[in-house]
Amino acid sequence: MRSERKVNSFYRPSAKEIEYIMKSEPIIKIQGVHKWFGDLYVLKGIDISVNKGEVVVICGVSGSGKSTLLRCINALETFQKGSIIVDGLSVNANNRKFVREVRKRVGIVFQNFNLFPHLNAIDNITLAPRQVKKVNKREAEQQAMKLLAQMGLSDKKKSYPISLSGGQKQRVAITRALAMDPMVMLFDEPTSALDPEMIKEVLDAMISLAQKGMTMIVVTHEMGFAKCVANKIIFLDQGVILEEGSPQELFENPKHKRTKEFLNHILT
Amino acid sequence: MYIMQFGEVLKYSDMLLRGLLFTLELSILTMFFSLILGTVIALWRISKNKFLFAFATAYVEFFRNVPLLIVIYIVFYGTSALSIFRFTSITAGVIALTLNSAAFEAEIIRGGLKAIAKEQLESAQSLGLSKFQIFRFIAIPYVIRIVWTALGNQAVDIILGSSVVSVIAFPELTYAGMNIAATKDRYFEVFVILLIIYLTLSVSASSILRVIKRVFLKPNELE
Amino acid sequence: MTWMRVLLLLRGAVVALEVCTLGIILGCVLGFCLSLMRLSKIKTLNMLSLIYVELFRDSPLLIQLFLIFYGLPILFKVQTSALVVATIAMTLNSSAYIAEIFKSAIGGIMKGQWDASYSLGLSHLQSLRYVILPQAFRIAIPPLINQFVSMLKSSSLASIIGFVEITKLATMIRSRTFTTFDVLGVTAAIYFVMCYGLSRLGSYLEKRLEIGT
């Protein structure tokens, strides 16, 4: 379903050039998105492009619409105006079939983990591949074990969420999302509900994921993470993108007063 | 073909009305007395006194695990067998229903009392309020808001439970209905009408209680 | 009170347990369907189930028993025993309460569970089947046990339409001999042991299955 490019008939692109063209089409294109919650105007015209392999960090004060924006991408929330395109598919919450296709390509990790408490770790991870992608049990478990090993959680495969620490739960949640082999991973404040000792293990997992080339959109206040792997930081304030740029640009030369205030607040 | 004859039954509407009045009287008397008794039992349930606690616990457990019908039989037949005096069916009915409801209400009220956080009591005490004042101005309003819905459900249960008292010939609505039915041999129609009346009673009672809650008990963060 | 009579009452208690067991199983099936209707966004289904639930919860069980007892021959032209009437009444009545139990169990599952399962690509039905319902059924166990205890107690009303179970036997023994207090005392004791025992079993299960975490 990739969008096809019109090519001038006198010009034949080489294989390398075709590959380059395909790669540079943004994997996620958010255009002019507006959202209201009844009377509350939450997103006031958002435009974001995310290319393959990019790590985008979205930050802002609570209520600025960051989580809502993220949840619009995989249709957990609806939006009234604008468009979101994921891998050529238009996200439209009213079209259920499309929504399922989008969700197969987009993985999301929540602040509160949302692990299934009645299933152990490996069942949590293999449920979706088995039921949605119809993978058989052995294959799904093999894949799950591989991913768990990369996370360093092989010994926890039969553990239930209740016996896992916060950091372990979140890493299982990340593994669960990865098991669906998504093209993009969304992270909604993944470390906000964690005790300080456990934040590092989750961020490390996310960093290694980024280094492997995963496209990621992360809503977080962890600026250390942003400095480390983010290609782009977006500062969202009251539903609009106030500033956007590379970590260096934003940290060293913030243009807006509010960005400065926010960064000061966070970095102290 | 059995042809339903509601008209025949409705000719006896005056008997039904009398029965209905008895039902209402029984229900209201029960609600009143069981609330008082229930509060006492609830206080004993949280008391430090071992005897009061044991008695209240036994009381609550007894009435929670023995059917209302058996309780009615015990109060009506059992007492006359034991002692010299006999309860009339009316007295026995009120007593049985009150004792039964009080047990459930005691648990509800106890839940409400336990919900009063210790911190609230401590802050009130440190402000210099006397025990009685604390009780009156802080505890009671708080507890009432919490237990209103549950007690409201209990009130509906009392109305529905009043129908069981018909077995000892308490002249309430169900008993009146059974008499009419036996007289005219029109059981089905009578009970359809009784069903409608009871439904109206319950729904009205719970609606009124809900409205009172919304209007007079100002909504607060307990909702 | 001879042992024969106590044994008789115990047999009556077993009858009551049997009827209630059948009633709660059938009531769970019916109640589960009703709960899905109550949660459905389709207005007609929602309304119908609401009417059903209110009907059985806001009217006395005794009246329901009588209606079924006298109505069955009239509406369906069948002559049935008090046993069948009692079972039907217990089923219909409990299904209304069980519908509310399941409805609040399902509704009580945190939204995050739905978010997570939808995000993984599971359909609404798949989410219900693999994520929501397994959790909801576990949560529903304590209230269902309460419901069973409540049914055991209300089964005593079936004696009034002539169903021979423990209460009916008690009244029969009472009227034939004059041992009122003994009979009623033993009957009350049997009910107490059954109901209290089941409640304790329920608490034990609750702790064992760690419900409420």
Side-chain angles (χ1 to χ4, degrees), chain B residues 26-209:
Chain B
L26 171 62
S27 303
I28 294 175
L29 277 174
T30 305
M31 288 183 211
F32 178 72
F33 286 123
S34 65
L35 201 57
I36 299 175
L37 182 57
T39 313
V40 171
I41 305 273
L43 290 170
W44 288 356
R45 281 279 276 148
I46 57 177
S47 141
K48 300 260 176 23
N49 182 323
K50 288 206 174 126
F51 293 114
L52 292 179
F53 178 78
F55 177 81
T57 310
Y59 180 94
V60 167
E61 287 302 323
F62 179 80
F63 288 100
R64 280 171 81 175
N65 292 299
V66 176
L68 175 61
L69 185 57
I70 302 288
V71 170
I72 292 174
Y73 284 149
I74 292 179
V75 171
F76 187 61
Y77 296 117
T79 50
S80 62
L82 269 189
S83 50
I84 325 164
F85 67 92
R86 271 206 88 174
F87 282 131
T88 61
S89 62
I90 299 198
T91 325
V94 178
I95 293 177
L97 202 52
T98 304
L99 289 177
N100 187 298
S101 309
F104 292 99
E105 290 178 24
E107 282 304 282
I108 294 170
I109 296 173
R110 175 172 154 260
L113 290 173
K114 279 181 86 174
I116 300 176
K118 223 175 60 161
E119 292 83 35
Q120 283 186 318
L121 285 176
E122 281 172 1
S123 53
Q125 274 179 325
S126 56
L127 284 171
L129 295 169
S130 77
K131 257 201 168 169
F132 178 72
Q133 285 174 318
I134 296 177
F135 200 67
R136 190 173 156 218
F137 292 111
I138 297 178
I140 292 190
Y142 192 79
V143 169
I144 290 182
R145 273 158 189 74
I146 296 180
V147 305
W148 188 262
T149 339
L151 284 182
N153 287 337
Q154 189 56 38
V156 172
D157 282 345
I158 290 175
I159 295 176
L160 300 184
S162 69
S163 68
V164 184
V165 196
S166 58
V167 294
I168 54 169
F170 188 109
E172 47 69 68
L173 186 59
T174 309
Y175 184 71
M178 295 201 292
N179 279 334
I180 299 172
T183 319
K184 301 291 296 184
D185 199 30
R186 290 259 164 229
Y187 290 89
F188 186 68
E189 293 91 322
V190 168
F191 288 116
V192 170
I193 293 176
L194 287 186
L195 182 79
I196 297 175
I197 299 178
Y198 275 111
L199 276 173
T200 317
L201 275 178
S202 323
V203 173
S204 317
S206 41
S207 303
I208 293 175
L209 289 169

Side-chain angles (χ1 to χ4, degrees), chain A residues 83-141:
Chain A
S83 73
I84 298 181
I85 308 218
V86 174
D87 190 29
L89 293 167
S90 173
V91 177
N92 177 358
N94 295 322
N95 189 333
R96 279 177 135 192
K97 216 172 138 248
F98 261 22
V99 165
R100 284 189 82 181
E101 287 300 312
V102 169
R103 287 176 177 162
K104 281 190 206 170
R105 293 160 167 72
V106 176
I108 186 168
V109 173
F110 300 94
Q111 182 177 347
N112 292 309
F113 333 122
N114 289 336
L115 288 178
F116 305 136
H118 60 296
L119 297 175
N120 62 27
I122 201 155
D123 288 336
N124 253 281
I125 297 169
T126 56
L127 176 67
R130 288 172 66 188
Q131 299 305 330
V132 180
K133 286 188 164 170
K134 310 291 182 198
V135 176
N136 73 51
K137 185 170 177 198
R138 248 190 65 217
E139 263 185 68
E141 290 196 349

